[in-house]
Amino acid sequence: MESHHREENQTKPCEYDPNVNQDELIMAQEKQIAEEIKANTSMVGSLAGLGSLEEEYSNDPVYSSKVRTLLPKFSNVRRTRPDGNCFLRGFIFAYLEYCIHHRDELARFKKYLEGSKEELFDMGFPKFTTEDFHEMFMEVVSDLEGSGSVGRVEAVCNDAGTSDYLVVYLRLLISAHLQKNAEFFSFFIEGGRTVEEFCKQEVEPMYRECDHLHIVALTAAVGVGVRVMYLDRGEGAAIVSHDFPEDKEPIIHLLYRPGHYDILYKA
């Protein structure tokens, strides 16, 4: 009986064990997956032809046909790490890349950044940490004023310390915009939460995915137009797009697939 019992345990390694804390097991598995992604995927990858996306979905008729509708409009894609910060990393990279080719926009953004710190202080964000995140962003922008190149943007966005600081500061800007306009945004928040609660739980923490509200708030706060192309299983053969804000010409193009954003380049 004992040997039979041992064999049974060996053939069912994933059998439920009431003595194991399942929440801890799930968290450990999620942490392991996150570490594997971190080890194997750049925060922002190198430029690739859109054909790579077509190959990825060669066995999926729905996605494959929709990808083909992108080909006349877009030539390249740049992938981001799927860690919950993908929208923000994609936004930062694409915007800074745009700015190095449009110096007037870089100057406008720098002026906006300079004033944003005091606004965050006025709203009660902690001065010590906010100052650190702000200084890092200002250093990056000032550096690009002098030695702006795509290679430099790649280096900045793939340096963990720098990139994470930039992401955190954008999260603070989103939170501030939502809370400043709480009366309006409160109608779109589910679960009976206040705007402040939503920001503390879904906006400010790292690795929380960005949804529609995050994008609306960031593009409005910074004054930058973003077009998101939605690659999903929705009806119709064409990919649906949405501009944020709706009345602003987009200078950044992002590809959305359920739970993830990558950067698109126009043909």
Side-chain angles (χ1 to χ4, degrees):
M1 286 292 291
E2 280 186 19
S3 80
H4 174 71
H5 184 64
R6 278 199 298 272
E7 280 183 16
E8 194 173 276
N9 281 345
Q10 287 170 0
T11 56
K12 295 182 180 179
C14 295
E15 192 171 286
Y16 175 75
D17 184 347
N19 296 315
V20 175
N21 186 311
Q22 296 300 305
D23 287 340
E24 287 182 4
L25 188 62
I26 291 168
M27 287 174 68
Q29 289 172 338
E30 287 178 345
K31 185 178 180 181
Q32 182 183 351
I33 292 168
E35 289 300 323
E36 287 174 3
I37 290 171
K38 189 175 179 181
N40 300 318
T41 313
S42 299
M43 291 181 182
V44 181
S46 56
L47 201 62
L50 213 59
S52 63
L53 207 59
E54 203 173 9
E55 288 175 22
E56 187 177 335
Y57 293 114
S58 58
N59 296 320
D60 189 319
V62 175
Y63 273 46
S64 183
S65 64
K66 289 193 173 188
V67 167
R68 283 196 291 273
T69 68
L70 286 174
L71 295 176
K73 303 171 188 174
F74 299 96
S75 58
N76 295 90
V77 62
R78 194 184 287 270
R79 298 169 192 272
T80 64
R81 181 184 289 173
D83 63 357
N85 292 316
C86 54
F87 169 77
L88 295 171
R89 292 197 205 280
F91 177 92
I92 291 166
F93 188 99
Y95 185 46
L96 293 181
E97 186 177 30
Y98 179 88
C99 283
I100 62 175
H101 299 298
H102 300 81
R103 294 288 166 159
D104 55 336
E105 182 63 19
L106 186 61
R108 185 198 72 82
F109 182 54
K110 185 179 182 182
K111 186 176 181 181
Y112 162 77
L113 272 182
E114 286 170 346
S116 65
K117 178 179 69 173
E118 291 302 325
E119 187 176 344
L120 292 176
F121 289 166
D122 291 344
M123 294 194 66
F125 288 92
K127 288 194 174 186
F128 182 72
T129 50
T130 302
E131 184 96 49
D132 279 352
F133 301 136
H134 177 263
E135 280 183 11
M136 178 64 79
F137 224 133
M138 291 300 298
E139 284 177 19
V140 167
V141 171
S142 297
D143 177 53
L144 292 177
E145 280 183 318
S147 57
S149 67
V150 176
R152 185 66 189 135
V153 176
E154 285 179 331
V156 163
C157 290
N158 280 297
D159 176 80
T162 305
S163 185
D164 285 353
Y165 267 46
L166 303 187
V167 166
V168 170
Y169 197 71
L170 288 193
R171 288 185 177 278
L172 299 185
L173 295 178
I174 293 168
S175 178
H177 186 83
L178 290 171
Q179 292 185 67
K180 272 194 306 179
N181 300 278
E183 188 175 350
F184 172 75
F185 286 111
S186 63
F187 293 105
F188 305 99
I189 293 173
E190 299 174 347
R193 291 177 290 181
T194 66
V195 171
E196 185 178 0
E197 287 169 340
F198 175 80
C199 289
K200 297 295 181 192
Q201 295 166 9
E202 307 293 344
V203 178
E204 294 171 25
M206 284 287 277
Y207 309 112
R208 301 299 288 178
E209 290 183 8
C210 289
D211 65 14
H212 193 89
L213 282 187
H214 297 68
I215 305 174
V216 169
L218 180 62
T219 53
V222 182
V224 174
V226 174
R227 175 169 293 164
V228 178
M229 311 295 293
Y230 291 91
L231 177 57
D232 54 27
R233 299 192 182 279
E235 291 183 10
I239 287 181
V240 175
S241 66
H242 191 94
D243 290 354
F244 301 86
E246 292 181 354
D247 60 348
K248 200 167 185 69
E249 185 68 23
I251 61 174
I252 295 170
H253 295 81
L254 298 176
L255 176 67
Y256 173 81
R257 288 175 280 176
H260 186 66
Y261 294 87
D262 289 313
I263 305 165
L264 284 173
Y265 291 81
K266 292 186 78 173

